[in-house]
């Protein structure tokens, strides 16, 4: 009970903090809208040039929804854990965190939860509604929304675990920028956030299927668009199951790595 | 002697958004235009002569840093006039910075990854210092403090003390008329403090540099300043010689008495009002006194009395 | 006396100071080899990822809006080169918001040199050179395949248009970074602006009226590659905007610089 209260306290603090970013919110919304327009026109032109309506099982609207919501999920899920941890390490603040009763990994998750809730409400939901209205019913509205919510939550945990698996590298090198860009590039490309996985050539797609990244963007979006048989239990459960498996595997790996990496602090004394 | 700094009725106000408490409050803040005016500096006039070292004191948030930022040309005063070396700092920031040096304690201004000597060379080029003057200055530094161990070390690898030392040396390098030192000894150990004070004193003596020093360390004040200015809540509440300060409080003594239970009792006594012997006699009525010490009041206590009592002089 | 000193700090003065800082910076960077390797790897990877995206796109769609593979490649290479200077020379803009927030920014205001120059000169990003090499190779390959003549004039044009095109992205990032003087989470503004650059490599003709106006005049990413490339891609039919792009670039950069400096002057420096 007390730990739940402790966690919700962090969530509340996070919400308060992100609300104080007044003007910033407006700017972000505006910039996102422009970004959406960019994606829209680019793909409209691409489809217009191709001469057919359906490419690799994706209609223009499917692709639009997929990419725009991928961007929205990107904004929603974006955590700066690598940067935060690197700064905490370089300033020595990390020691203070290690002294806190809540475990550091948990602490980070819950202190991000507030801003996650806020960005979900402030950017994801508006984007989702705008897309749903503009594409005039191209987003199926049914049970898939519920499965999508579940899948999105799992995606959040997978993404957090990827971040937490990468961030402790900061204990070994000061190259925060490098680590972050490598992580981001790999995740964005191989998860389908840049270009839908449906468009990937066969060989590349087979590789991507065995990597955790598609659990962050591709799976939730497929579930939402009822692609790849996810509109039936036989298709949905393995998809969600795969996400769950990645949550567990990455979390275990992250824990092992963190425990190993953190010994460096205690050995070196910061 | 002529004036290095002249401030006439200077005020500085900041507009700060009124933030509300808690979750509901920050939703209000999202839409509110509720600003409050903070008066950081309030009608301060001040003249500093060339070659002086003045201590610019005050409790946290009194407006010391704001004053310094105005004198260095970073902030524009809301009201009043400032002249530094005959220039209006905010209007002519570049020209003004030619003739000033600034050190903000704990905040290095040097190139983080460069060895100190390379930072010096860059500063030499930036300030267009003649090679001969530059070499003379390095020579002077060598005579005042042992710079060899830090000269080839990157700033990022230095201890806080070494960094502060480096920053002070860098601030004097182009032989400016005025150097502003904002809490230069904060967080340093006793011996480093002593070295830094000696260095400042030495540079002031040789180069006749005006030094404006803010500090919370009365050791700095005792070692360096002949004159102190105190501000509180943006207002100047004291401006005079440190000797005058001590004279003013000269009739104060600290009486320390060891009582029968071996505890020490401390009393600050104004001799012009109360007789020391009288206090001793009074105390003896309740307890036996085993030992007595009578001390001059320290600068620290004087300053504390001024902070607490508002208008001291 | 002040006058004469200021005259001494002319263009050559700044060039020589920049050279010295750069040299020292490179020397010190050599001592962080691991950092250098990881960052370079990251940079190569982002470029590779961009290229893979490009190839996947053309795997599915043979042409976009009348632009075939080699023309698109030309645009792509052009954008990569034009985006190099912002990466190499203006990378410190990314640190601006942290320095302003912590109060450390104030140190740039105490020297008798231009604040913007002083701040920007502090960081030179070596890894941008990898992107330059990547872009140059693509550019030359596409140039040869399209069959653009190699003459002194076309080469001079290429250099001029590449340099001025790069000013647009630099200016955009200046604007984005300087917002931190007014708003708190300006990090998002920078991230979003930086993401816009991904669209520099597509022909702006795909946008309709309103958005073409926005991407031409408000967030001018169409100038990073599209307009200047038309000089080479469709030499018989070059719109006026393409020829004007060097001028507009210079103006836009100057405006962004003024905006940045306005931020410095307006900021309270209360962060201490």
């Amino acid at each position: 009970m007390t730990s739940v209260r402790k966690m919700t306290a962090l969530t509340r603090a996070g919400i308060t903090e992100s609300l104080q970013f007044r003007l910033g919110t407006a700017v972000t919304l505006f910039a996102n809208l422009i970004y959406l327009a960019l994606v829209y026109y680019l793909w409209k032109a691409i489809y217009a040039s191709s001469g057919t309506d359906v490419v690799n099982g994706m209609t223009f609207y499917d692709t639009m929804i997929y990419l725009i919501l991928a961007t929205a999920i990107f904004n929603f899920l974006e955590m700066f854990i690598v940067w935060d941890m690197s700064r905490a390490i370089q300033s020595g603040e990390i020691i203070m965190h290690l002294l806190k009763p809540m475990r550091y990994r948990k602490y980070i998750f819950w202190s991000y939860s507030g801003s996650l809730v806020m960005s979900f409400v402030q950017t994801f939901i508006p984007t989702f509604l705008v897309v749903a209205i503009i594409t005039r019913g191209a987003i199926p509205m049914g049970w898939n929304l519920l499965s999508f919510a579940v899948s999105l939550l799992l995606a959040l945990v997978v993404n957090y675990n990827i971040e937490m698996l990468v961030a402790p590298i900061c204990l070994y090198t000061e190259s925060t920028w490098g680590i972050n860009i490598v992580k981001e590039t790999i995740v964005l490309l191989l998860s389908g956030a840049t270009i839908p996985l449906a468009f990937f050539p066969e060989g590349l797609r087979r590789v991507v299927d065995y990597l955790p990244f598609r659990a962050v963007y591709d799976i939730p979006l497929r579930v939402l668009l009822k692609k790849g048989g996810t509109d039936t239990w036989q298709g949905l459960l393995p998809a969600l199951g795969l996400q769950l498996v990645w949550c567990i595997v990455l979390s275990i790996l992250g824990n092992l790595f963190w425990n190993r990496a953190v010994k460096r602090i205690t050995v070196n004394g910061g | 002697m002529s004036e290095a700094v002249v401030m006439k009725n200077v005020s500085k106000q900041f507009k700060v958004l009124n933030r509300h408490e808690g979750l509901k409050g920050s939703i209000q803040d999202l839409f509110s235009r509720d600003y409050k005016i903070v008066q950081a500096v309030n009608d301060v006039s001040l003249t500093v002569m060339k070659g002086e070292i003045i201590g610019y004191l005050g409790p946290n948030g009194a407006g010391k840093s704001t004053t310094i930022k105005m004198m260095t040309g970073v902030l524009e005063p809301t009201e009043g006039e400032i002249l530094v070396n005959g220039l209006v700092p905010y209007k002519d920031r570049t020209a003004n910075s030619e003739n000033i040096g600034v050190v903000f304690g704990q905040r290095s201004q040097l190139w983080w990854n460069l060895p100190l000597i390379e930072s010096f060379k860059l500063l030499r080029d930036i300030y267009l210092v003649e090679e001969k003057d530059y070499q003379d200055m390095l020579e002077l530094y060598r005579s005042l403090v042992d710079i060899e161990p830090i000269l080839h070390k990157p700033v990022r690898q230095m201890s806080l003390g070494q960094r502060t030392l480096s920053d002070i040396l860098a601030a004097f390098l182009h032989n400016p008329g005025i150097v502003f030192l904002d809490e230069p000894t904060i967080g340093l150990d006793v011996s480093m403090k002593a070295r830094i004070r000696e260095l400042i004193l030495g540079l002031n003596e040789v180069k006749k540099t005006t030094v404006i020093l803010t500090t919370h360390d009365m050791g700095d004040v005792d070692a360096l300043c002949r004159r102190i200015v105190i501000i509180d809540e943006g207002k100047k509440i004291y401006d005079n010689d440190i000797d005058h300060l001590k004279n003013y409080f000269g009739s104060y003594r600290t009486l320390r008495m060891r009582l029968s239970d071996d505890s020490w009792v401390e009393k600050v006594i104004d001799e012009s009002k109360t007789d020391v012997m009288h206090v001793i006699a009074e105390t003896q009525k309740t307890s036996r006194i085993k030992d007595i010490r009578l001390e001059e009041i320290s600068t620290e206590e004087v300053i504390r009395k001024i902070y607490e009592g508002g208008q001291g002089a | 006396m002040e006058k004469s000193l200021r005259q001494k700090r002319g263009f050559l003065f700044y060039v020589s100071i920049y050279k010295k800082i750069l040299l020292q910076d490179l020397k010190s960077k050599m001592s962080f080899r691991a950092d250098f390797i990881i960052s370079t790897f990251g940079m190569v990877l982002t470029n590779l990822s961009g290229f893979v995206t490009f190839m996947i796109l053309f795997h599915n769609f043979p042409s976009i809006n009348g632009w075939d593979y080699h023309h698109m490649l030309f645009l792509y290479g052009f954008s990569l080169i034009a985006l190099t200077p912002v990466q190499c020379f203006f990378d410190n803009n990314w640190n601006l918001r942290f320095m302003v927030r912590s109060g450390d920014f104030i140190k740039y205001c105490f020297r008798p040199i231009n604040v913007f120059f002083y701040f920007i000169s502090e960081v030179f990003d070596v890894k941008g050179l990898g992107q330059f090499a990547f872009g140059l190779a693509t550019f030359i390959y596409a140039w040869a395949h399209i069959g653009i003549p190699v003459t002194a004039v076309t080469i001079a044009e290429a250099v001029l248009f590449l340099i001025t095109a790069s000013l647009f992205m630099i200016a955009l990032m200046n604007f984005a970074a300087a917002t931190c003087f007014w708003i708190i989470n300006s990090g998002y503004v920078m991230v979003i602006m930086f993401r816009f650059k991904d669209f520099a490599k597509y022909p702006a003709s795909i946008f309709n009226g309103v958005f073409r106006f926005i991407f031409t005049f408000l967030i001018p990413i169409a100038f990073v590659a599209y307009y200047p490339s038309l000089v080479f891609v469709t030499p018989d039919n070059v719109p006026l905007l393409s020829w004007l792009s060097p001028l507009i670039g210079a103006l836009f950069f100057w405006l962004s610089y003024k905006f940045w400096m306005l931020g410095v002057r307006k900021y309270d420096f209360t962060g201490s």
Side-chain angles (χ1 to χ4, degrees):
Chain A
M1 184 61 218
T2 47
S3 83
V4 170
R5 193 171 302 156
K6 233 189 298 178
M7 286 164 195
T8 49
L10 282 171
T11 312
R12 280 176 68 91
I15 293 177
T16 311
E17 206 172 281
S18 25
L19 266 178
Q20 279 167 0
F21 297 153
R22 299 146 35 98
L23 238 160
T25 316
V27 172
T28 312
L29 270 176
F30 173 74
N32 273 335
L33 279 177
I34 292 187
Y35 192 80
L36 295 187
L38 273 171
V39 178
Y40 176 81
Y41 283 108
L42 175 63
W43 284 89
K44 206 172 142 179
I46 291 174
Y47 267 87
S49 313
S50 79
T52 57
D53 288 343
V54 182
V55 181
N56 284 330
M58 299 279 279
T59 64
F60 168 61
Y61 278 141
D62 286 340
T63 308
M64 272 306 291
I65 295 164
Y66 186 103
L67 283 173
I68 292 176
L69 291 186
T71 308
I73 295 178
F74 172 80
N75 284 333
F76 160 51
L77 291 184
E78 185 156 45
M79 298 178 159
F80 298 95
I81 294 180
V82 176
W83 292 103
D84 290 346
M85 200 183 280
S86 140
R87 221 166 298 131
I89 289 163
Q90 272 163 35
S91 67
E93 198 191 310
I94 191 109
I95 310 271
M96 300 307 294
H97 283 302
L98 295 177
L99 295 175
K100 281 184 186 158
M102 208 191 274
R103 288 206 53 196
Y104 185 58
R105 286 168 53 89
K106 240 198 218 165
Y107 167 81
I108 288 207
F109 184 80
W110 289 103
S111 52
Y112 261 101
S113 59
S115 64
L116 285 175
V117 170
M118 277 322 291
S119 66
F120 185 75
V121 175
Q122 283 185 331
T123 64
F124 186 80
I125 291 190
T127 315
F128 184 88
L129 291 177
V130 168
V131 172
I133 292 166
I134 288 179
T135 57
R136 292 185 209 99
I139 300 181
M141 296 283 178
W143 279 104
N144 62 320
L145 288 185
L146 195 67
S147 340
F148 173 65
V150 174
S151 181
L152 195 58
L153 200 66
L154 287 166
L156 190 154
V157 180
V158 172
N159 184 57
Y160 157 80
N161 275 308
I162 292 175
E163 291 263 345
M164 285 310 280
L165 186 60
V166 173
I169 301 177
C170 297
L171 284 161
Y172 297 90
T173 163
E174 283 182 24
S175 178
T176 318
W177 187 90
I179 298 164
N180 202 55
I181 200 85
V182 170
K183 180 212 76 195
E184 208 166 289
T185 308
I186 292 178
V187 172
L188 286 182
L189 179 66
L190 300 183
S191 66
T194 329
I195 188 162
L197 292 187
F199 292 127
F200 278 41
E202 202 45 44
L204 197 57
R205 202 142 115 214
R206 219 167 292 140
V207 177
V208 170
D209 277 346
Y210 288 101
L211 295 172
F213 309 110
R214 58 183 287 251
V216 185
Y217 296 96
D218 192 53
I219 294 182
L221 290 169
R222 259 176 212 238
V223 168
L224 180 71
L225 295 173
K226 295 188 177 176
K227 296 277 166 189
T230 50
D231 49 345
T232 61
W233 287 109
Q234 288 88 336
L236 181 65
L237 287 182
L240 297 183
L242 187 67
Q243 284 187 300
L244 193 64
V245 168
W246 279 121
C247 285
I248 295 166
V249 170
L250 289 170
S251 161
I252 291 171
L253 286 177
N255 246 312
L256 287 175
F257 183 38
W258 170 250
N259 285 337
R260 212 186 136 82
V262 87
K263 285 207 183 83
R264 282 178 67 90
I265 302 179
T266 30
V267 171
N268 299 344
Chain B
M1 275 215 295
S2 54
E3 297 95 356
V5 177
V6 181
M7 285 175 63
K8 270 190 209 142
N9 310 101
V10 172
S11 295
K12 177 71 192 174
Q13 296 170 342
F14 291 111
K15 227 164 73 170
V16 182
L17 179 71
N18 260 329
R19 293 214 183 276
H20 297 92
E21 291 279 305
L23 197 56
K24 212 180 126 202
S26 34
I27 293 172
Q28 275 174 10
D29 282 347
L30 205 56
F31 306 101
S32 90
R33 286 277 168 273
D34 179 14
Y35 289 100
K36 68 166 178 258
I37 301 288
V38 173
Q39 187 84 31
V41 173
N42 191 353
D43 197 24
V44 169
S45 297
L46 177 67
T47 304
V48 182
M49 291 302 179
K50 282 193 172 146
E52 253 189 313
I53 303 185
I54 76 155
Y56 194 56
L57 314 178
N60 288 326
K64 301 184 300 274
S65 288
T66 306
T67 316
I68 291 202
K69 284 167 191 168
M70 287 193 285
M71 290 195 272
T72 51
V74 176
L75 287 182
E76 185 180 19
T78 316
E79 278 166 67
E81 281 170 36
I82 305 182
L83 282 180
V84 174
N85 298 309
L87 294 168
V88 180
Y90 184 73
K91 291 223 173 85
D92 231 337
R93 189 195 61 80
T94 315
N96 183 50
S97 57
E98 207 85 66
N99 206 17
I100 60 170
V102 186
V103 175
F104 273 88
Q106 284 195 312
R107 197 167 273 179
S108 182
Q109 295 170 41
L110 298 167
W111 286 267
W112 202 239
N113 291 324
L114 301 195
L116 184 58
I117 186 74
E118 298 301 336
S119 278
F120 279 178
K121 283 182 194 158
L122 278 170
L123 288 175
R124 174 195 65 191
D125 296 339
I126 284 174
Y127 286 94
L128 304 166
V129 178
E130 298 286 332
E131 183 59 25
K132 190 187 165 297
D133 297 340
Y134 171 73
Q135 291 302 341
D136 287 352
M137 195 54 108
L138 283 189
E139 216 36 63
L140 175 63
Y141 287 174
R142 284 198 182 91
S143 72
L144 289 170
V145 61
D146 185 18
I147 59 172
E148 294 309 327
I150 54 171
L151 216 45
H152 297 282
K153 206 171 178 182
V155 176
R156 63 192 301 277
Q157 289 172 10
M158 290 184 184
S159 69
L160 178 62
Q162 292 175 325
R163 227 151 61 201
T164 312
L165 197 64
S166 304
D167 261 305
I168 292 174
L169 294 174
F172 278 89
L173 196 72
H174 55 290
N175 192 19
I178 309 174
V179 168
F180 298 91
L181 302 172
D182 194 8
E183 305 195 32
T185 60
I186 192 164
L188 304 185
D189 66 51
V190 185
S191 86
M192 193 42 107
K193 275 183 185 173
R195 277 169 74 191
I196 282 182
R197 286 168 193 157
E198 265 171 50
L199 175 70
I200 296 169
L201 217 50
L203 287 166
N204 164 262
E205 215 167 273
V206 179
K207 292 291 176 184
K208 304 284 173 254
T209 317
T210 312
V211 175
I212 296 177
L213 167 84
T214 75
T215 182
H216 288 293
D217 187 329
M218 290 312 136
D220 291 347
V221 178
D222 281 328
L224 297 170
C225 312
R226 231 155 297 146
R227 174 182 162 203
I228 60 170
V229 174
I230 301 174
I231 68 165
D232 191 12
E233 290 173 0
K235 284 200 190 111
K236 189 165 89 169
I237 55 173
Y238 181 90
D239 179 359
N240 213 321
D241 281 358
I242 197 160
D243 295 336
H244 174 269
L245 190 72
K246 288 215 167 151
N247 285 339
Y248 184 82
F249 288 96
S251 55
Y252 283 83
R253 295 280 183 282
T254 307
L255 175 67
R256 287 155 61 84
M257 293 169 288
R258 187 155 63 108
L259 305 183
S260 51
D261 59 350
D262 277 337
S263 65
W264 282 95
V265 172
E266 211 179 284
K267 279 190 175 135
V268 177
I269 295 165
D270 183 355
E271 279 197 307
S272 60
K273 292 186 188 133
T274 325
D275 190 27
V276 173
M277 293 314 289
H278 176 72
V279 176
I280 295 172
E282 282 296 308
T283 313
Q284 245 167 348
K285 280 181 191 163
T286 55
S287 171
R288 200 166 62 87
I289 297 175
K290 289 164 96 177
D291 196 358
I292 285 179
R293 273 181 211 162
L294 197 56
E295 287 162 5
E296 295 263 312
I297 189 166
S298 69
T299 315
E300 178 131 18
E301 278 164 312
V302 173
I303 301 290
R304 199 169 58 209
K305 282 199 97 51
I306 294 179
Y307 286 2
E308 281 163 5
Q311 259 64 13
Chain C
M1 175 196 150
E2 283 81 21
K3 261 254 147 56
S4 70
L5 273 178
R6 199 175 303 167
Q7 274 158 5
K8 271 189 219 161
R9 292 203 183 90
F11 182 68
L12 288 178
F13 166 83
Y14 281 106
V15 171
S16 101
I17 294 283
Y18 193 86
K19 230 165 55 192
K20 281 171 188 160
I21 294 177
L22 185 70
L23 209 70
Q24 288 304 326
D25 189 50
L26 285 177
K27 245 194 252 172
S28 76
K29 281 223 176 80
M30 295 302 156
S31 52
F32 301 103
R33 199 164 298 157
D35 177 76
F36 180 73
I37 292 169
I38 295 176
S39 307
T40 311
F41 175 67
M43 203 66 201
V44 170
L45 202 70
T46 42
N47 283 311
L48 219 59
S49 150
F51 197 70
V52 168
T53 309
F54 186 85
M55 295 310 274
I56 293 175
L57 208 59
F58 270 90
H59 170 82
N60 291 284
F61 306 94
S63 81
I64 295 175
N65 213 272
W67 288 59
D68 68 11
Y69 176 70
H70 285 115
H71 284 90
M72 285 296 289
L73 211 55
F74 184 84
L75 204 57
Y76 184 52
F78 195 101
S79 74
L80 280 188
I81 301 175
L83 292 172
T84 299
V86 74
Q87 183 72 46
C88 280
F89 302 108
F90 293 83
D91 209 39
N92 213 19
N93 264 332
W94 286 96
N95 295 324
L96 185 65
R97 64 182 195 278
F98 298 120
M99 297 207 129
V100 167
R101 206 56 62 227
S102 71
D104 285 337
F105 181 78
I106 201 169
K107 73 173 186 177
Y108 300 102
C109 303
F110 297 139
R111 305 268 183 240
I113 52 174
N114 183 287
V115 179
F116 179 71
F117 168 84
Y118 184 20
F119 178 76
I120 289 299
S121 70
E122 217 174 37
V123 171
F124 173 80
D125 191 20
V126 198
K127 59 189 180 290
L129 294 175
Q131 173 174 319
F132 181 72
F134 206 89
L136 196 64
T138 315
F139 186 71
I140 291 172
Y141 173 82
W143 178 298
H145 271 263
I146 295 174
I148 302 167
V150 182
T151 66
V153 176
T154 52
I155 291 174
E157 275 176 347
V159 172
L160 172 73
F161 280 94
L162 278 169
I163 291 174
T164 50
S166 69
L167 290 178
F168 285 95
M169 195 61 203
I170 295 168
L172 274 180
M173 293 314 276
N174 283 345
F175 275 119
T179 54
C180 75
F181 291 111
W182 288 277
I183 60 179
I184 298 175
N185 61 342
S186 65
Y188 290 103
V189 182
M190 286 208 84
V191 170
I192 288 163
M193 278 297 185
F194 202 60
R195 283 192 84 187
F196 280 148
K197 82 181 189 324
D198 296 342
F199 288 85
K201 57 176 181 276
Y202 299 111
S205 53
I206 61 176
F207 304 118
N208 81 349
V210 178
F211 284 96
R212 194 178 311 182
F213 179 82
I214 291 178
F215 299 129
T216 304
F217 296 108
L218 296 181
I219 307 171
I221 45 168
F223 280 104
V224 176
Y226 175 70
Y227 284 117
S229 322
L230 288 181
V231 173
F232 307 93
V233 176
T234 56
D236 306 323
N237 184 19
V238 181
L240 184 64
L241 276 179
S242 298
W243 291 119
L244 285 181
S245 66
L247 224 78
I248 303 173
L251 179 75
F252 195 58
F253 175 78
W254 181 79
L255 283 176
S256 75
Y257 162 75
K258 283 287 168 194
F259 180 70
W260 202 99
M261 292 298 272
L262 183 76
V264 177
R265 279 186 93 77
K266 288 291 162 219
Y267 192 61
D268 278 348
F269 294 103
T270 39
S272 54

